[in-house]
Amino acid sequence: FTTSQTIGSYGLYNSFNSVGGNYKKISYYGFLQYRNMEGYRPNSQQSQVSAFGKIQYNHSDKLNFGVEYSLLRNKIKMPGGLTDSLFNANANPKTSTRARNWLKSPWNIITAYANYTPSENSTLSVKSTFLFSSRSLVWKNEDGGAAATDDIDLTTNAFVPREVGIEKMNNSTTEIRFSQNYSLGNQKSTFAGGVRQSYAWFKRQGGGEGTTNSDFDLSISGDWGYDLDFSTTNLAPFVENIFKVSKNFTVTPGFRFEYLRSTAKGHKEVEGDIQLTDEVRNRTFALAGLGLELKPGKNTSIYANTSQAYRPIDYSQLEPFGISSKIDPNLKDSKGFNSDLGYRGTIRNYLNFDIGGFYMAYNKRIGVTLATDPITGDYYSVRKNIANSVHQGIESYIEFNILKYFNSQSNFGLSIFNSFAYVDAKYTTGEFKGKRVEAAAKTINRVGLIFSTNKLSTTLQVNSVGDAYGDASNAMSSEDPVAGYIPAYTVLDWSASYKLKNFAIKLGANNLTDKSYFTRRTDEYPGPGIIPAVGRSFYLGFTAKFQ
């Protein structure tokens, strides 16, 4: 049994409790977590309950099967997004423009599985999952952007009616996988194959006229602004093989064939007109990949991978959440590939490292950019296939234990670590050729120091993230909530823990310098506009474990 209780700034309280064990041929595990906080900004209270349970029956050394259940229950009040002027005014990112926005998301996932090992070299596994969930939203929508405050109408002495949206999501998935070890020359190789089948149905209702109240109320007057039903059928057989060419060199090719069938039915009101949709779209495609690994030493390896990628249009990309953004009717699926090459390993007990380069081609990339209404001359954001883009760069992680380097038997540790990424993400075709991909920071650097003993561990970390842009045009500023500059920022965090037998105490501070910054702009919930990051915060907690 494990219990962990934490309190922190802005009314944070978090309770995590778990239990697990075995009884004869039955093994079990479960946890329950409760989290509540008032929030960094006004109107940002939230509460959440999550839980997981698993029970497995071990029939024999060759056969086991079981069931799992995961749930999430939350209720979040959303303070809305900010304009650049509101965020920068008096250096007060705590400003809130919304006091009546709520989100609720109950999620449920049930999984049943069985694993069968008929022989030492063969394994058969079957897993089926059923998801049934929903997301409900009531809010003063993004009409007018973040600059449009939510005030009482003096003529009616009441707030304007809010907008209500309800989404119901269901998905069933079954995967059957078989693997077989076999001898090839003097080495043992592995073949794996199987098939994955899934069916998802998604109902989306929104644009309903809600109440003028401030509480969480999903009742509406009149009809829904849109009432849409989506479904997706996916069937994907796959094979891969680990060829152990020699003791130190492996080659792993893989192949996957995909069948997708998507449907969309329903209606949507656009500027007073009712638009009906009844679409069916089928497509098939194949994806291949190849992985290589060479081990020049016992604890080091050189790796290289390349694989094709395919990203179908998802529901959110087909339907704008409100009216401040639009969707290109000629939107296409995206394709591409990604590759990486690296060197990783450990040297004794004082050095860990992983250094590599990557290249990702993203063709017909779906993104957001600004457009001008030919009639009114107003700017609005539009989601479309922007162009082809290339993301390339390096990623590295190095951790060096200074004390272990001088004395490998030391009971103390003093490590310095650095996680660094340089990403050159640009459009290579189209009207934005040479422009940076939206929300792609060029550099992400995390440097830290860790001191540890048998009982005490403490970490000081500096996080630095480079600048970015909110849309593909790389506009520095705009009236549109999505477009605009996202400045670079540096944040300092500290944490510590102390263990004593079955107990541990932890404490820490995030954003020690109380830096005002943000990482995203959005044209929908929880915005529209800039979503400020949390300022300086502290936490204190304890953990107890019993067996």
Side-chain angles (χ1 to χ4, degrees):
F1 172 73
T2 299
T3 182
S4 179
Q5 312 297 317
T6 304
I7 58 174
S9 302
Y10 314 118
L12 170 67
Y13 173 65
N14 187 83
S15 175
F16 177 87
N17 305 276
S18 68
V19 62
N22 298 281
Y23 177 74
K24 296 183 178 179
K25 292 187 175 183
I26 297 175
S27 59
Y28 57 91
Y29 174 77
F31 74 77
L32 176 65
Q33 181 177 14
Y34 171 76
R35 179 183 177 90
N36 186 80
M37 63 186 305
E38 291 300 312
Y40 174 61
R41 303 165 62 197
N43 307 311
S44 58
Q45 303 94 323
Q46 57 178 277
S47 61
Q48 175 178 304
V49 175
S50 56
F52 172 81
K54 174 182 178 179
I55 184 167
Q56 178 174 302
Y57 181 73
N58 303 297
H59 180 269
S60 64
D61 293 338
K62 294 185 177 182
L63 176 64
N64 65 70
F65 49 87
V67 293
E68 300 174 355
Y69 174 57
S70 302
L71 69 83
L72 169 68
R73 301 289 185 271
N74 66 4
K75 189 176 182 181
I76 302 172
K77 195 171 186 180
M78 301 181 295
L82 303 178
T83 62
D84 288 80
S85 58
L86 285 172
F87 178 80
N88 296 321
N90 302 318
N92 182 20
K94 290 187 177 182
T95 303
S96 171
T97 60
R98 301 288 185 267
R100 304 188 297 142
N101 292 4
W102 294 90
L103 177 70
K104 194 174 183 180
S105 304
W107 288 79
N108 303 275
I109 304 174
I110 298 175
T111 299
Y113 64 90
N115 300 302
Y116 178 54
T117 307
S119 68
E120 180 182 353
N121 294 314
S122 303
T123 301
L124 175 66
S125 62
V126 180
K127 177 180 286 189
S128 291
T129 299
F130 179 57
L131 177 148
F132 54 104
S133 306
S134 65
R135 177 169 55 196
S136 303
L137 176 73
V138 55
W139 69 329
K140 165 65 172 68
N141 68 24
E142 73 268 29
D143 294 353
T149 57
D150 187 15
D151 301 321
I152 291 179
D153 187 338
L154 297 179
T155 60
T156 62
N157 201 32
F159 289 105
V160 298
R162 293 173 295 178
E163 181 177 319
V164 176
I166 298 176
E167 298 172 338
K168 296 180 180 179
M169 294 151 274
N170 297 275
N171 178 283
S172 64
T173 302
T174 298
E175 182 173 280
I176 302 173
R177 179 185 291 267
F178 175 78
S179 66
Q180 176 70 47
N181 297 326
Y182 63 95
S183 296
L184 183 64
N186 296 325
Q187 304 297 327
K188 180 177 287 188
S189 297
T190 303
F191 168 84
V195 62
R196 181 180 185 272
Q197 183 275 335
S198 67
Y199 178 72
W201 58 105
F202 177 62
K203 186 172 186 64
R204 189 173 192 184
Q205 297 172 310
E209 184 177 306
T211 68
T212 59
N213 299 330
S214 299
D215 59 344
F216 183 81
D217 187 347
L218 297 178
S219 57
I220 66 170
S221 301
D223 297 326
W224 294 104
Y226 54 87
D227 191 340
L228 299 162
D229 290 279
F230 301 93
S231 73
T232 300
T233 302
N234 176 224
L235 184 64
F238 57 90
V239 293
E240 64 179 349
N241 200 104
I242 301 176
F243 291 103
K244 194 130 187 180
V245 180
S246 67
K247 181 180 179 181
N248 300 322
F249 183 51
T250 58
V251 178
T252 308
F255 179 82
R256 186 181 185 99
F257 181 81
E258 297 267 3
Y259 166 75
L260 279 174
R261 176 183 173 87
S262 303
T263 69
K265 296 183 179 181
H267 71 271
K268 181 174 184 178
E269 181 180 344
V270 179
E271 297 179 354
D273 297 327
I274 301 297
Q275 294 185 350
L276 301 177
T277 180
D278 187 0
E279 299 182 8
V280 178
R281 187 175 185 184
N282 297 298
R283 58 259 208 217
T284 58
F285 52 92
L287 301 174
L290 178 66
L292 307 173
E293 184 178 25
L294 174 66
K295 293 185 176 182
K298 182 179 179 180
N299 297 313
T300 59
S301 66
I302 300 171
Y303 58 90
N305 304 281
T306 185
S307 61
Q308 293 176 296
Y310 186 96
R311 183 174 181 176
I313 302 167
D314 60 38
Y315 302 147
S316 64
Q317 292 171 337
L318 284 173
E319 286 295 328
F321 198 86
I323 65 170
S324 68
S325 63
K326 297 183 179 181
I327 302 296
D328 185 343
N330 298 316
L331 201 63
K332 305 291 185 183
D333 296 331
S334 301
K335 299 180 181 181
F337 71 92
N338 57 77
S339 302
D340 64 344
L341 173 66
Y343 181 47
R344 63 189 171 201
T346 61
I347 298 179
R348 296 181 184 176
N349 63 344
Y350 62 80
L351 179 65
N352 297 320
F353 65 92
D354 190 340
I355 303 172
F358 64 89
Y359 183 95
M360 182 178 73
Y362 200 156
N363 301 325
K364 295 183 180 179
R365 176 184 171 85
I366 297 174
V368 177
T369 186
L370 289 179
T372 305
D373 190 304
I375 299 176
T376 64
D378 295 335
Y379 286 103
Y380 64 91
S381 58
V382 58
R383 183 178 289 115
K384 65 178 185 178
N385 294 103
I386 301 292
N388 299 342
S389 66
V390 168
H391 302 235
Q392 56 188 331
I394 58 173
E395 292 178 316
S396 66
Y397 177 79
I398 300 175
E399 181 177 350
F400 178 64
N401 193 314
I402 302 171
L403 297 182
K404 296 288 186 181
Y405 174 75
F406 289 104
N407 180 8
S408 61
Q409 303 302 317
S410 174
N411 292 324
F412 299 90
L414 180 61
S415 299
I416 183 170
F417 66 87
N418 176 240
S419 175
F420 175 76
Y422 172 78
V423 183
D424 180 22
K426 291 182 179 180
Y427 289 100
T428 57
T429 63
E431 60 179 310
F432 300 114
K433 182 178 180 180
K435 297 285 189 179
R436 291 170 57 185
V437 172
E438 58 270 24
K442 277 192 174 182
T443 57
I444 302 174
N445 194 30
R446 295 181 173 90
V447 181
L449 193 67
I450 303 172
F451 175 75
S452 60
T453 68
N454 292 332
K455 296 182 178 180
L456 174 68
S457 176
T458 181
T459 302
L460 182 66
Q461 179 173 284
V462 180
N463 304 288
S464 296
V465 179
D467 62 359
Y469 294 94
D471 81 311
S473 71
N474 291 184
M476 290 295 295
S477 62
S478 172
E479 295 180 359
D480 185 274
V482 172
Y485 186 61
I486 302 176
Y489 61 90
T490 298
V491 177
L492 184 65
D493 300 325
W494 172 77
S495 64
S497 65
Y498 184 80
K499 297 179 181 179
L500 183 62
K501 294 183 178 180
N502 296 335
F503 301 92
I505 298 175
K506 59 182 180 181
L507 68 158
N510 296 321
N511 195 359
L512 271 169
T513 60
D514 201 23
K515 172 71 175 179
S516 297
Y517 71 101
F518 64 94
T519 63
R520 58 184 296 214
R521 296 174 180 267
T522 176
D523 63 343
E524 50 189 47
Y525 67 90
I530 292 171
I531 308 300
V534 177
R536 181 168 47 228
S537 62
F538 302 91
Y539 62 88
L540 172 67
F542 81 91
T543 300
K545 295 182 179 181
F546 304 97
Q547 291 183 342

